[in-house]
Amino acid sequence: MVEYEVTVFTGKLDLASTFDDVYIKLVGSDESPRTQIPRKWIPSLKDTSHLSISCPKSLGKLVLVELQKQNRFFEDSWHPAKVEVKSPEGHTYHFPVYHWITDNEVHYIREGTGLWKCSSLTSCMHFTDKGIPHCLKADGLTSLPYDICFSFTNYCKKDFVLFLEYVCKNWKSVLFYDEKHWKDDAFFGYQFLNGVNPILIRRCTALPDNFGVTDEMVFSNGQHNLAEEMKKGNIFLCDYKLLDGVQANTINGKQQFLMAPLVLLQKTNDDKLMPIAIQAPNYKDNPIFLPTDSEYDWLLAKIFVRSANFNLYELNAHLLRTHLLAEVFAMSVFRNLPMVHPLYKLLIPHTRYTLNINFLARKLLISKNGFFSQFTASGGEGVFTILKKSLSSLTYSSLCIPDDIAERGLKDVPNFHYRDDGLKFVKGTLSFYYKTDVEVEQDSELQAWIKDIFQYGFLSLERIPQKFTTVDEMVKFVTMVIFTCSAQHSAVNSGQYDFGAWMPNSPTSLQLPPPTKKGIATEKTMLDCFPSVNTTVHGLAVMWLLSKQSSDRVLIGQYPEMRFTEEFPLQKIKEFQEELKKLSADIKTRNSSLDLPYIYLDPDVVENSVSL
């Protein structure tokens, strides 16, 4: 007889243990007896369970273990983390599981080349609307598979305590700054670089045809001219053209208004980004507003820009480019990759809670009776108009931060902390598994993964690769996926409440049309333009809810589920964690000398996935 020493680890999630009977079988060239995992004094599997399995002879190289749970009193789920088996020959086999077992079926867990897929997700992509990425098909929260749901802790957390915690940490650093500086041109310009929508601004080399700015308007002293400043790289443009033609919402029975403004900015000698002209060409007779106009003419023009910015970034930069794309990435992982595929191991941490939070977003935010429909200028059909236009204009290069920064001409713009911190996140680690381009081309599961994304996420538009032909091409795409699901989401999500809690800096809607004449705006005009109290309160509540970190968050670089067993990827994880520590320290050092710290790409803030 020979003995196999087996250790079964139960996950550390809430309610992960079970009162059911659980059986295990080892499979190699032969099979072990089906053996019940022994119980501790308390009748549930918890933490770790040890047992010895006796076999008449060696089973040879182990290829899988079989796990089966059988109900004792009632239906009770179990979340095994992994199984470790020490053979009589002294070799230790690792079988990662990290999967909720809810039925009484036999589950086959392979060592090294797993074949398990999330069967409940393999055919549930749902076509929502023409021109928008497909999503998970689910009737309700209870129909979602356990593996993709929020933890019990996340559902039961004490939000009020977390709110006080958040306010105490961030109120003085950003909110007071907003209240004090929201009228300042320098802060207005700063937010295009380091606010919640850093993906819009680009260097301007020629004015749009519908933006009739002249030298006399913006350089009345004659010291500069637009042609020279553009040549020097000092002129920048923000174009909200995706909002053009969007039908504004009606709130509380009152028509709302939404501009599609053009904003021209100049980099000054002291490295500030200052607005020099604003116009809304989509509104007839809307003049070009200038800093030299009356106080409320100029301030009102900036308010319309800030409201347009809220509506565009929430739907484009935030919802589409992080949440909806992350859902497609995650669904393709579950539908196409075996559990022990290296890409599955690499990407699964970046899918945590994404499908659950997106289901809630569709139900509570963009549904017929959701937040956007009731309390934003873009609500109702406008939401889907913006999403469709945003997807149709999306490019692959705009999702890859090095390419995006270069394409927008922003490599050398000073004080661009989003760029500086974001570029340091770009890493590739798949070369260990793919030595040649041929191996990439011949990996049918990898090719199925990218094909699903091309078809269901980008609707077969020529936006991304349809297949991978080289290692470099695959590494670039996977890097983009990880950055999108982690750092990019943090950049456009975490600062929502910081920049929006002072309502005048980020109104969800406006109740007056933009002025057609100069010199008539007053403080009363501005106050009448702001959204109603109930609209403002709901806006603040949603921004706070979406931007706060959950109590069971998992930050970038943390891997509670150790799916990799090979020495090389484990070493790479350690190196990555050390790099993140250094990056965090560097960011904190830089921030200590800033009036307004940029914290949103600090690894101590960035979560591994789109989870809120």
Side-chain angles (χ1 to χ4, degrees), residues 4 26-32 57-64 93:
Y4 285 84
L26 311 180
V27 179
S29 56
D30 204 346
E31 297 182 353
S32 74
K57 61 179 181 178
S58 173
L59 303 177
K61 182 180 179 181
L62 297 183
V63 294
L64 61 84
Y93 294 89

Side-chain angles (χ1 to χ4, degrees), residues 249-252 256 310-311 313-315 318-319 360-380 383 496 500 506-509 531-546:
N249 200 7
T250 299
I251 300 176
N252 298 328
Q256 306 294 295
F310 171 87
N311 284 273
Y313 97 77
E314 284 287 11
L315 296 171
H318 185 201
L319 180 60
L360 292 174
R362 281 188 288 274
K363 183 178 180 180
L364 302 176
L365 296 182
I366 61 173
S367 64
K368 183 177 180 181
N369 297 314
F371 166 74
F372 271 87
S373 294
Q374 296 188 63
F375 303 109
T376 70
S378 57
V383 167
Q496 291 183 82
S506 192
T508 65
S509 188
S532 63
V533 173
N534 75 319
T535 298
T536 297
V537 169
H538 280 87
L540 297 184
V542 168
M543 284 187 278
W544 170 73
L545 184 66
L546 295 179

